Amino acid sequence: MDNLPPLREVINTHGLQARKSLGQNFLLDLNLTRRIAREAGVQAGVQVYEVGPGPGGLTRALLAEGADHVLAIEKDNRCLAALSEVADAYPGRLDVIEQDALQVDEATALAGSPNQSEAPCIIVANLPYNVSAVLLTKWLQADPWPPWFQSLTLMFQKEVADRITAKPGSKAYGRLSVLSNWRTSPRRLFDVSPQAFVPAPKIVSTVVRFDVRKKPVAPADVNALQAATTAAFGQRRKMIRSSLKSLGVSVEALLDATEIEPTLRAETLSVEQYYALARAYVALK
Ligand code: SAM
């Protein structure tokens, strides 16, 4: 696919032994990384924002699949020399910033990237699991909407992917399902077995793609939506008339305005009912 050395060799040459503290489980199978890139929609005419390139397995696939440009954010400076070899193999198409992705203002970083591209941007990342959930929430709360990216393709612990794609009435349905389905249409692409990573984690992973809805399913204030889902799912076994008390507004007025049955429980409310609750909450606050 390119003239770069195999990833195992890259890891040995640059001393990139995986660090648990950085959630490092590397993908060394370039067929798998190319599959992720393809199913994320990477092709010529697209630029990619990648978080956590590590030794560069997924980055190489993104470039080989034809991305006009990749901007990669990596916290571990041990990876920079290996990534600069990838940049040399794809001149003018890869920029790497050494930073914590949680601190990055992405629109500014993209605009300031030396080889910046005007092409539509998608996010593709194989991140540590704790960081992916936090970043997903940050990206889903982007303001303005539609945001600076068109889709996100991210690796999750299978159980988190189940929560993201869960439907009302199921055990896995929760805050992450409501928030994800509000502004995007999430769908599972495929599972990845532990053996595909070095070192192998204990759990199965799932790649999820989220396509941005240009218009959210219903207008709602993102902070109010977070407040309503936190209150409801924080006490998911209780009836909604009781769990919503923590919002600090009249629950009766909230339920009247939204025509929601007071005896329902959090997991049976539809995504639309949560938007309605968020809107009523803003009006009553
Ligand atoms: N993309 C590579 C692959 O697929 O083989 C590496 C994936 S590894 C699961 C996660 C990567 O994210 C590591 O390279 C790690 O150093 C990096 N990382 C962890 N936390 C980060 C953060 N907060 N900001 C940026 N990069 C981070």
Side-chain angles (χ1 to χ4, degrees):
M1 124 175 152
D2 48 39
N3 290 325
L4 290 161
L7 284 156
R8 246 175 234 287
E9 196 178 312
V10 172
I11 288 172
N12 287 335
T13 311
H14 295 281
L16 300 180
Q17 277 62 45
R19 287 203 179 136
K20 219 174 173 181
S21 60
L22 283 164
Q24 292 181 334
N25 300 93
F26 300 132
L27 288 174
L28 306 192
D29 177 353
L30 293 172
N31 288 322
L32 177 61
T33 53
R34 283 191 84 148
R35 181 174 179 201
I36 297 174
R38 267 198 306 275
E39 296 207 24
V42 173
Q43 56 185 326
V46 164
Q47 64 170 322
V48 181
Y49 180 79
E50 186 194 3
V51 177
L58 183 55
T59 319
R60 283 161 65 167
L62 300 170
L63 291 160
E65 285 299 314
D68 284 11
H69 181 249
V70 177
L71 175 62
I73 313 292
E74 175 57 62
K75 197 173 168 182
D76 183 358
N77 63 11
R78 295 181 309 155
C79 301
L80 300 182
L83 293 167
S84 89
E85 288 172 7
V86 181
D88 290 344
Y90 293 94
R93 291 173 58 199
L94 171 64
D95 292 312
V96 180
I97 299 179
E98 182 200 341
Q99 209 178 331
D100 180 338
L102 299 168
Q103 311 296 332
V104 174
D105 176 68
E106 295 90 355
T108 311
L110 283 162
S113 163
N115 297 298
Q116 63 165 298
S117 155
E118 294 302 315
C121 187
I122 63 175
I123 300 176
V124 186
N126 169 24
L127 273 163
Y129 297 115
N130 51 346
V131 180
S132 21
V134 181
L135 276 175
L136 173 66
T137 307
K138 174 186 172 192
W139 290 328
L140 291 177
Q141 293 179 343
D143 185 30
W145 198 272
W148 52 274
F149 55 89
Q150 292 195 333
S151 66
L152 310 116
T153 301
L154 306 171
M155 181 88 75
F156 291 96
Q157 210 169 317
K158 184 170 181 291
E159 175 247 319
V160 176
D162 289 344
R163 282 166 43 205
I164 289 167
T165 53
K167 299 283 173 255
S170 66
K171 255 191 165 168
Y173 183 64
R175 290 182 58 192
L176 215 44
S177 342
V178 175
L179 187 62
S180 303
N181 280 282
W182 175 46
R183 286 179 147 181
T184 73
S185 48
R187 67 191 158 93
R188 336 165 59 100
L189 293 181
F190 53 89
D191 289 345
V192 183
S193 80
Q195 288 72 39
F197 298 87
V198 174
K202 290 204 178 69
I203 35 98
V204 173
S205 304
T206 303
V207 184
V208 182
R209 172 169 164 168
F210 307 73
D211 286 290
V212 161
R213 296 184 201 274
K214 293 232 160 45
K215 272 188 160 176
V217 172
D221 173 77
V222 68
N223 295 319
L225 187 63
Q226 289 284 46
T229 53
T230 303
F233 289 107
Q235 295 177 296
R236 59 188 298 146
R237 290 216 177 76
K238 290 200 174 161
M239 290 178 195
I240 206 85
R241 68 173 175 219
S242 165
S243 56
L244 291 180
K245 277 186 194 152
S246 61
L247 283 174
V249 296
S250 159
V251 174
E252 207 185 329
L254 258 185
L255 297 176
D256 271 358
T258 52
E259 295 180 6
I260 295 174
E261 262 316 302
T263 53
L264 292 178
R265 289 178 215 291
E267 66 195 37
T268 61
L269 260 58
S270 69
V271 172
E272 287 77 5
Q273 283 175 312
Y274 278 106
Y275 314 135
L277 272 178
R279 285 198 299 276
Y281 173 56
V282 170
L284 289 166
K285 247 195 323 178

